[in-house]
PDB file of all heavy atoms in Angstrom:
ATOM      1  N   THR A  23       0.797  -1.200   0.005  1.00 91.00           N
ATOM      2  CA  THR A  23       0.004  -0.002   0.010  1.00 91.00           C
ATOM      3  C   THR A  23       0.841   1.247  -0.023  1.00 91.00           C
ATOM      4  O   THR A  23       0.635   2.149  -0.745  1.00 91.00           O
ATOM      5  CB  THR A  23      -0.970   0.002   1.217  1.00 91.00           C
ATOM      6  OG1 THR A  23      -1.745  -1.164   1.182  1.00 91.00           O
ATOM      7  CG2 THR A  23      -1.848   1.216   1.198  1.00 91.00           C
ATOM      8  N   LEU A  24       1.899   1.233   0.820  1.00 89.00           N
ATOM      9  CA  LEU A  24       2.827   2.407   0.878  1.00 89.00           C
ATOM     10  C   LEU A  24       3.532   2.589  -0.423  1.00 89.00           C
ATOM     11  O   LEU A  24       3.725   3.713  -0.957  1.00 89.00           O
ATOM     12  CB  LEU A  24       3.781   2.292   2.020  1.00 89.00           C
ATOM     13  CG  LEU A  24       3.189   2.335   3.426  1.00 89.00           C
ATOM     14  CD1 LEU A  24       4.195   2.069   4.479  1.00 89.00           C
ATOM     15  CD2 LEU A  24       2.474   3.676   3.694  1.00 89.00           C
ATOM     16  N   ASN A  25       3.955   1.454  -1.039  1.00 90.00           N
ATOM     17  CA  ASN A  25       4.659   1.567  -2.318  1.00 90.00           C
ATOM     18  C   ASN A  25       3.715   2.043  -3.454  1.00 90.00           C
ATOM     19  O   ASN A  25       4.134   2.804  -4.251  1.00 90.00           O
ATOM     20  CB  ASN A  25       5.207   0.187  -2.691  1.00 90.00           C
ATOM     21  CG  ASN A  25       6.423  -0.204  -1.875  1.00 90.00           C
ATOM     22  OD1 ASN A  25       7.047   0.655  -1.240  1.00 90.00           O
ATOM     23  ND2 ASN A  25       6.746  -1.432  -1.870  1.00 90.00           N
ATOM     24  N   CYS A  26       2.513   1.601  -3.445  1.00 90.00           N
ATOM     25  CA  CYS A  26       1.524   2.096  -4.379  1.00 90.00           C
ATOM     26  C   CYS A  26       1.244   3.578  -4.259  1.00 90.00           C
ATOM     27  O   CYS A  26       1.117   4.343  -5.243  1.00 90.00           O
ATOM     28  CB  CYS A  26       0.182   1.337  -4.334  1.00 90.00           C
ATOM     29  SG  CYS A  26       0.241  -0.369  -4.959  1.00 90.00           S
ATOM     30  N   CYS A  27       1.218   4.071  -3.013  1.00 86.00           N
ATOM     31  CA  CYS A  27       1.076   5.472  -2.798  1.00 86.00           C
ATOM     32  C   CYS A  27       2.256   6.249  -3.338  1.00 86.00           C
ATOM     33  O   CYS A  27       2.121   7.283  -3.984  1.00 86.00           O
ATOM     34  CB  CYS A  27       0.912   5.718  -1.274  1.00 86.00           C
ATOM     35  SG  CYS A  27      -0.649   5.157  -0.557  1.00 86.00           S
ATOM     36  N   ARG A  28       3.420   5.725  -3.075  1.00 85.00           N
ATOM     37  CA  ARG A  28       4.692   6.370  -3.547  1.00 85.00           C
ATOM     38  C   ARG A  28       4.656   6.350  -5.105  1.00 85.00           C
ATOM     39  O   ARG A  28       4.996   7.387  -5.698  1.00 85.00           O
ATOM     40  CB  ARG A  28       5.869   5.581  -3.081  1.00 85.00           C
ATOM     41  CG  ARG A  28       7.117   6.375  -3.083  1.00 85.00           C
ATOM     42  CD  ARG A  28       8.232   5.652  -2.241  1.00 85.00           C
ATOM     43  NE  ARG A  28       7.899   5.542  -0.819  1.00 85.00           N
ATOM     44  CZ  ARG A  28       7.796   4.368  -0.156  1.00 85.00           C
ATOM     45  NH1 ARG A  28       8.077   3.291  -0.758  1.00 85.00           N
ATOM     46  NH2 ARG A  28       7.506   4.365   1.120  1.00 85.00           N
ATOM     47  N   ASP A  29       4.274   5.272  -5.713  1.00 84.00           N
ATOM     48  CA  ASP A  29       4.194   5.177  -7.170  1.00 84.00           C
ATOM     49  C   ASP A  29       3.232   6.166  -7.718  1.00 84.00           C
ATOM     50  O   ASP A  29       3.477   6.823  -8.745  1.00 84.00           O
ATOM     51  CB  ASP A  29       3.767   3.799  -7.664  1.00 84.00           C
ATOM     52  CG  ASP A  29       4.888   2.755  -7.358  1.00 84.00           C
ATOM     53  OD1 ASP A  29       6.001   3.104  -7.062  1.00 84.00           O
ATOM     54  OD2 ASP A  29       4.560   1.514  -7.428  1.00 84.00           O
ATOM     55  N   LEU A  30       2.095   6.388  -7.056  1.00 81.00           N
ATOM     56  CA  LEU A  30       1.130   7.335  -7.515  1.00 81.00           C
ATOM     57  C   LEU A  30       1.694   8.762  -7.449  1.00 81.00           C
ATOM     58  O   LEU A  30       1.482   9.533  -8.453  1.00 81.00           O
ATOM     59  CB  LEU A  30      -0.104   7.262  -6.560  1.00 81.00           C
ATOM     60  CG  LEU A  30      -1.193   8.283  -6.870  1.00 81.00           C
ATOM     61  CD1 LEU A  30      -1.977   7.871  -8.094  1.00 81.00           C
ATOM     62  CD2 LEU A  30      -2.131   8.469  -5.738  1.00 81.00           C
ATOM     63  N   TRP A  31       2.360   9.125  -6.450  1.00 72.00           N
ATOM     64  CA  TRP A  31       2.942  10.490  -6.337  1.00 72.00           C
ATOM     65  C   TRP A  31       4.071  10.712  -7.345  1.00 72.00           C
ATOM     66  O   TRP A  31       4.319  11.832  -7.711  1.00 72.00           O
ATOM     67  CB  TRP A  31       3.424  10.813  -4.939  1.00 72.00           C
ATOM     68  CG  TRP A  31       2.270  10.928  -3.966  1.00 72.00           C
ATOM     69  CD1 TRP A  31       1.970  10.107  -2.938  1.00 72.00           C
ATOM     70  CD2 TRP A  31       1.252  11.881  -4.021  1.00 72.00           C
ATOM     71  NE1 TRP A  31       0.862  10.484  -2.327  1.00 72.00           N
ATOM     72  CE2 TRP A  31       0.307  11.575  -2.975  1.00 72.00           C
ATOM     73  CE3 TRP A  31       0.893  12.933  -4.834  1.00 72.00           C
ATOM     74  CZ2 TRP A  31      -0.839  12.327  -2.708  1.00 72.00           C
ATOM     75  CZ3 TRP A  31      -0.212  13.712  -4.603  1.00 72.00           C
ATOM     76  CH2 TRP A  31      -1.079  13.404  -3.525  1.00 72.00           C
ATOM     77  N   LYS A  32       4.762   9.630  -7.779  1.00 73.00           N
ATOM     78  CA  LYS A  32       5.846   9.738  -8.711  1.00 73.00           C
ATOM     79  C   LYS A  32       5.331   9.743 -10.144  1.00 73.00           C
ATOM     80  O   LYS A  32       6.100  10.083 -11.084  1.00 73.00           O
ATOM     81  CB  LYS A  32       6.831   8.620  -8.578  1.00 73.00           C
ATOM     82  CG  LYS A  32       7.641   8.688  -7.310  1.00 73.00           C
ATOM     83  CD  LYS A  32       8.754   7.652  -7.269  1.00 73.00           C
ATOM     84  CE  LYS A  32       8.354   6.241  -7.522  1.00 73.00           C
ATOM     85  NZ  LYS A  32       9.368   5.235  -7.353  1.00 73.00           N
ATOM     86  N   SER A  33       4.100   9.412 -10.418  1.00 67.00           N
ATOM     87  CA  SER A  33       3.625   9.235 -11.771  1.00 67.00           C
ATOM     88  C   SER A  33       3.589  10.618 -12.497  1.00 67.00           C
ATOM     89  O   SER A  33       3.376  11.654 -11.923  1.00 67.00           O
ATOM     90  CB  SER A  33       2.212   8.670 -11.763  1.00 67.00           C
ATOM     91  OG  SER A  33       1.231   9.609 -11.281  1.00 67.00           O
ATOM     92  N   ALA A  34       3.762  10.533 -13.791  1.00 59.00           N
ATOM     93  CA  ALA A  34       3.746  11.756 -14.591  1.00 59.00           C
ATOM     94  C   ALA A  34       2.385  12.446 -14.550  1.00 59.00           C
ATOM     95  O   ALA A  34       2.290  13.684 -14.543  1.00 59.00           O
ATOM     96  CB  ALA A  34       4.103  11.395 -16.026  1.00 59.00           C
ATOM     97  N   TRP A  35       1.334  11.668 -14.495  1.00 58.00           N
ATOM     98  CA  TRP A  35      -0.011  12.269 -14.428  1.00 58.00           C
ATOM     99  C   TRP A  35      -0.145  13.127 -13.150  1.00 58.00           C
ATOM    100  O   TRP A  35      -0.635  14.294 -13.220  1.00 58.00           O
ATOM    101  CB  TRP A  35      -1.083  11.166 -14.413  1.00 58.00           C
ATOM    102  CG  TRP A  35      -2.464  11.664 -14.114  1.00 58.00           C
ATOM    103  CD1 TRP A  35      -3.080  11.634 -12.867  1.00 58.00           C
ATOM    104  CD2 TRP A  35      -3.380  12.320 -14.934  1.00 58.00           C
ATOM    105  NE1 TRP A  35      -4.288  12.187 -12.886  1.00 58.00           N
ATOM    106  CE2 TRP A  35      -4.534  12.620 -14.189  1.00 58.00           C
ATOM    107  CE3 TRP A  35      -3.333  12.674 -16.290  1.00 58.00           C
ATOM    108  CZ2 TRP A  35      -5.596  13.280 -14.743  1.00 58.00           C
ATOM    109  CZ3 TRP A  35      -4.453  13.365 -16.805  1.00 58.00           C
ATOM    110  CH2 TRP A  35      -5.517  13.651 -16.035  1.00 58.00           C
ATOM    111  N   ASN A  36       0.276  12.630 -12.067  1.00 55.00           N
ATOM    112  CA  ASN A  36       0.147  13.333 -10.795  1.00 55.00           C
ATOM    113  C   ASN A  36       1.010  14.587 -10.806  1.00 55.00           C
ATOM    114  O   ASN A  36       0.626  15.601 -10.201  1.00 55.00           O
ATOM    115  CB  ASN A  36       0.531  12.371  -9.640  1.00 55.00           C
ATOM    116  CG  ASN A  36       0.158  12.973  -8.345  1.00 55.00           C
ATOM    117  OD1 ASN A  36      -1.049  13.236  -8.124  1.00 55.00           O
ATOM    118  ND2 ASN A  36       1.145  13.129  -7.519  1.00 55.00           N
ATOM    119  N   ARG A  37       2.165  14.547 -11.434  1.00 55.00           N
ATOM    120  CA  ARG A  37       3.045  15.748 -11.401  1.00 55.00           C
ATOM    121  C   ARG A  37       2.549  16.912 -12.260  1.00 55.00           C
ATOM    122  O   ARG A  37       2.900  18.030 -12.076  1.00 55.00           O
ATOM    123  CB  ARG A  37       4.422  15.342 -11.872  1.00 55.00           C
ATOM    124  CG  ARG A  37       5.223  14.565 -10.785  1.00 55.00           C
ATOM    125  CD  ARG A  37       6.595  14.239 -11.198  1.00 55.00           C
ATOM    126  NE  ARG A  37       6.565  13.002 -11.991  1.00 55.00           N
ATOM    127  CZ  ARG A  37       7.195  12.763 -13.105  1.00 55.00           C
ATOM    128  NH1 ARG A  37       7.973  13.648 -13.570  1.00 55.00           N
ATOM    129  NH2 ARG A  37       7.071  11.616 -13.777  1.00 55.00           N
ATOM    130  N   HIS A  38       1.642  16.601 -13.223  1.00 52.00           N
ATOM    131  CA  HIS A  38       1.230  17.595 -14.152  1.00 52.00           C
ATOM    132  C   HIS A  38      -0.265  18.024 -13.933  1.00 52.00           C
ATOM    133  O   HIS A  38      -0.813  18.832 -14.710  1.00 52.00           O
ATOM    134  CB  HIS A  38       1.383  17.145 -15.605  1.00 52.00           C
ATOM    135  CG  HIS A  38       2.804  16.895 -15.940  1.00 52.00           C
ATOM    136  ND1 HIS A  38       3.826  17.900 -15.922  1.00 52.00           N
ATOM    137  CD2 HIS A  38       3.503  15.758 -16.280  1.00 52.00           C
ATOM    138  CE1 HIS A  38       4.952  17.359 -16.228  1.00 52.00           C
ATOM    139  NE2 HIS A  38       4.836  16.077 -16.448  1.00 52.00           N
ATOM    140  N   VAL A  39      -0.911  17.499 -12.965  1.00 52.00           N
ATOM    141  CA  VAL A  39      -2.311  17.846 -12.740  1.00 52.00           C
ATOM    142  C   VAL A  39      -2.435  18.725 -11.451  1.00 52.00           C
ATOM    143  O   VAL A  39      -1.719  18.462 -10.479  1.00 52.00           O
ATOM    144  CB  VAL A  39      -3.139  16.536 -12.541  1.00 52.00           C
ATOM    145  CG1 VAL A  39      -4.564  16.858 -12.070  1.00 52.00           C
ATOM    146  CG2 VAL A  39      -3.188  15.720 -13.769  1.00 52.00           C
ATOM    147  N   VAL A  40      -3.220  19.759 -11.526  1.00 51.00           N
ATOM    148  CA  VAL A  40      -3.413  20.608 -10.387  1.00 51.00           C
ATOM    149  C   VAL A  40      -4.726  20.190  -9.787  1.00 51.00           C
ATOM    150  O   VAL A  40      -5.778  20.094 -10.387  1.00 51.00           O
ATOM    151  CB  VAL A  40      -3.555  22.088 -10.852  1.00 51.00           C
ATOM    152  CG1 VAL A  40      -3.878  22.976  -9.697  1.00 51.00           C
ATOM    153  CG2 VAL A  40      -2.296  22.520 -11.581  1.00 51.00           C
ATOM    154  N   TYR A  41      -4.679  19.927  -8.448  1.00 51.00           N
ATOM    155  CA  TYR A  41      -5.854  19.409  -7.710  1.00 51.00           C
ATOM    156  C   TYR A  41      -6.497  20.547  -6.931  1.00 51.00           C
ATOM    157  O   TYR A  41      -5.810  21.436  -6.459  1.00 51.00           O
ATOM    158  CB  TYR A  41      -5.434  18.301  -6.719  1.00 51.00           C
ATOM    159  CG  TYR A  41      -4.988  17.063  -7.406  1.00 51.00           C
ATOM    160  CD1 TYR A  41      -3.672  16.753  -7.496  1.00 51.00           C
ATOM    161  CD2 TYR A  41      -5.949  16.193  -7.886  1.00 51.00           C
ATOM    162  CE1 TYR A  41      -3.249  15.574  -8.114  1.00 51.00           C
ATOM    163  CE2 TYR A  41      -5.515  15.020  -8.544  1.00 51.00           C
ATOM    164  CZ  TYR A  41      -4.183  14.687  -8.607  1.00 51.00           C
ATOM    165  OH  TYR A  41      -3.773  13.554  -9.252  1.00 51.00           O
ATOM    166  N   GLU A  42      -7.769  20.504  -6.779  1.00 50.00           N
ATOM    167  CA  GLU A  42      -8.495  21.428  -6.001  1.00 50.00           C
ATOM    168  C   GLU A  42      -8.322  20.955  -4.562  1.00 50.00           C
ATOM    169  O   GLU A  42      -8.473  19.766  -4.242  1.00 50.00           O
ATOM    170  CB  GLU A  42      -9.976  21.382  -6.369  1.00 50.00           C
ATOM    171  CG  GLU A  42     -10.775  22.413  -5.651  1.00 50.00           C
ATOM    172  CD  GLU A  42     -12.215  22.400  -6.132  1.00 50.00           C
ATOM    173  OE1 GLU A  42     -12.443  22.032  -7.253  1.00 50.00           O
ATOM    174  OE2 GLU A  42     -13.121  22.680  -5.336  1.00 50.00           O
ATOM    175  N   ARG A  43      -7.981  21.861  -3.654  1.00 47.00           N
ATOM    176  CA  ARG A  43      -7.676  21.441  -2.257  1.00 47.00           C
ATOM    177  C   ARG A  43      -9.030  21.230  -1.513  1.00 47.00           C
ATOM    178  O   ARG A  43      -9.695  22.159  -1.139  1.00 47.00           O
ATOM    179  CB  ARG A  43      -6.870  22.551  -1.593  1.00 47.00           C
ATOM    180  CG  ARG A  43      -5.526  22.878  -2.184  1.00 47.00           C
ATOM    181  CD  ARG A  43      -4.585  21.703  -1.986  1.00 47.00           C
ATOM    182  NE  ARG A  43      -4.258  21.630  -0.569  1.00 47.00           N
ATOM    183  CZ  ARG A  43      -3.500  20.720  -0.109  1.00 47.00           C
ATOM    184  NH1 ARG A  43      -3.007  19.774  -0.823  1.00 47.00           N
ATOM    185  NH2 ARG A  43      -3.258  20.701   1.202  1.00 47.00           N
ATOM    186  N   LYS A  44      -9.390  19.985  -1.239  1.00 48.00           N
ATOM    187  CA  LYS A  44     -10.504  19.631  -0.502  1.00 48.00           C
ATOM    188  C   LYS A  44     -10.141  18.691   0.608  1.00 48.00           C
ATOM    189  O   LYS A  44     -10.892  17.879   1.051  1.00 48.00           O
ATOM    190  CB  LYS A  44     -11.539  18.919  -1.330  1.00 48.00           C
ATOM    191  CG  LYS A  44     -12.202  19.812  -2.329  1.00 48.00           C
ATOM    192  CD  LYS A  44     -13.298  19.121  -3.082  1.00 48.00           C
ATOM    193  CE  LYS A  44     -14.031  20.012  -4.048  1.00 48.00           C
ATOM    194  NZ  LYS A  44     -15.043  19.397  -4.775  1.00 48.00           N
ATOM    195  N   ASP A  45      -8.902  18.764   1.129  1.00 47.00           N
ATOM    196  CA  ASP A  45      -8.517  17.815   2.149  1.00 47.00           C
ATOM    197  C   ASP A  45      -8.527  18.528   3.482  1.00 47.00           C
ATOM    198  O   ASP A  45      -9.468  19.206   3.841  1.00 47.00           O
ATOM    199  CB  ASP A  45      -7.168  17.207   1.850  1.00 47.00           C
ATOM    200  CG  ASP A  45      -6.102  18.226   1.569  1.00 47.00           C
ATOM    201  OD1 ASP A  45      -6.331  19.423   1.858  1.00 47.00           O
ATOM    202  OD2 ASP A  45      -5.031  17.849   1.024  1.00 47.00           O
ATOM    203  N   VAL A  46      -7.545  18.338   4.289  1.00 43.00           N
ATOM    204  CA  VAL A  46      -7.521  18.791   5.704  1.00 43.00           C
ATOM    205  C   VAL A  46      -7.773  20.251   5.836  1.00 43.00           C
ATOM    206  O   VAL A  46      -8.533  20.714   6.668  1.00 43.00           O
ATOM    207  CB  VAL A  46      -6.204  18.374   6.376  1.00 43.00           C
ATOM    208  CG1 VAL A  46      -6.125  18.895   7.796  1.00 43.00           C
ATOM    209  CG2 VAL A  46      -6.046  16.889   6.360  1.00 43.00           C
TER     210      VAL A  46
END
């Protein structure tokens, strides 16, 4: 699970998409 999270944050898609802040 931790590795999949890490992979998600390293992905090209994630680095180029701007997210709307709806978290904490």
Side-chain angles (χ1 to χ4, degrees):
T23 302
L24 294 174
N25 288 342
C26 286
C27 291
R28 201 169 295 122
D29 292 346
L30 177 77
W31 291 114
K32 289 189 307 187
S33 71
W35 169 261
N36 193 58
R37 285 183 276 138
H38 297 298
V39 173
V40 177
Y41 293 102
E42 186 178 331
R43 299 290 293 177
K44 289 186 179 179
D45 53 15
V46 176

